[in-house]
Every structure is written in structure tokens, then in C-alpha cells.
Amino acid sequence: RIDPETGRIIVRNQEEYDRLKAEHEAMVAERNRQLDLKYGAEQVLALFMPVSLCMAVVVATIRSVSYFSEHTTQFLYTPFETASATSAGAKFGGALLNVMIVLAVIVVMTMFLVLLYKYRCYKVIHGWLIFSS
């Protein structure tokens, strides 16, 4: 029952009070969970566009800069050399291992960045971005 003068809920006994309090706490917890999911998903989607754009720029840069096609430089994160492989199977195997290493590095670094973001370590993220550029 609601008091018309104060707008407060009037309870008849302790059991009713406990029941209403538990319902209220459950509703607040559910609302907080929904807000976490809503804003968490929006933030992930907000990151998706710049990351996709960055990947497109990297691919375009690698295709347009002649250094990557003229030099046979071996990168640290691609240890298996495919240019000197004699058979197609060896080239494919080396390329597959290189791809797996690069993907593993990307996954680990992405998870690290997401954890930094989740725990609001924005200064570390800014420092990382400044250092990497």
C-alpha cells in the first residue's frame, strides 16, 4: 500500500518488507546487468570501426609501398622463411606457421588491450599508442 501524502510504501509486517526489499534488489541488479551489457556492447562496436579502418590502411600501405615487395627482409614475428623453400608443401607449411604466429600475436595483444580498457588503464593505453606510433 502507498501512503498518498508521502508517496512511501506502507508495509504490514516484516515478511512483506523483506519480500519487497528482495524484489527491489533483484530489479536493481537486473537493471545494472542490462546496462553493463548495453554499454559494453556499444563500446565494443565503437572500437570496431577504427580498428577496421586501421587494418584497411595497413593492407593498402603494404600493397603500395615498394619496400615490402622488393626486399626479402625477414620479420621477427614471421620466423619461417618461405622464399627459400624448395617445394610447394614447404612454402605452404612455412606460410601457415607464420600466419598462426601473427594471429596469435594479434589475439594476445588485443586481449591485453581489452583488459587495459576494461580496468580503465587509459594512461597505459595512451602511452602504448604514443610509443607505437
Side-chain angles (χ1 to χ4, degrees), residues 6-115:
T6 62
R8 292 183 165 201
I9 297 175
I10 300 173
V11 293
R12 287 175 253 168
N13 55 33
Q14 187 65 33
E15 282 181 11
E16 186 177 7
Y17 173 78
D18 292 340
R19 181 184 58 80
L20 289 173
K21 184 177 176 184
E23 286 177 8
H24 176 71
E25 288 172 354
M27 287 175 20
V28 168
E30 177 64 21
R31 174 85 171 135
N32 288 339
R33 188 186 68 79
Q34 288 176 356
L35 287 174
D36 287 344
L37 287 175
K38 177 183 176 186
Y39 291 113
E42 285 179 5
Q43 291 172 349
V44 169
L45 291 175
L47 286 174
F48 182 75
M49 184 57 114
V51 169
S52 299
L53 183 62
C54 180
M55 290 172 62
V57 168
V58 168
V59 169
T61 302
I62 288 176
R63 289 182 182 232
S64 64
V65 175
S66 61
Y67 173 82
F68 294 109
S69 60
E70 293 174 1
H71 290 81
T72 58
T73 304
Q74 194 69 26
F75 295 109
L76 179 65
Y77 51 85
T78 56
F80 299 101
E81 190 174 336
T82 57
S84 64
T86 55
S87 69
K91 284 184 179 182
F92 180 76
L96 188 62
L97 289 172
N98 284 337
V99 166
M100 289 171 54
I101 291 169
V102 169
L103 285 177
V105 168
I106 290 171
V107 167
V108 168
M109 295 304 285
T110 302
M111 288 172 45
F112 181 64
L113 185 61
V114 168
L115 287 174

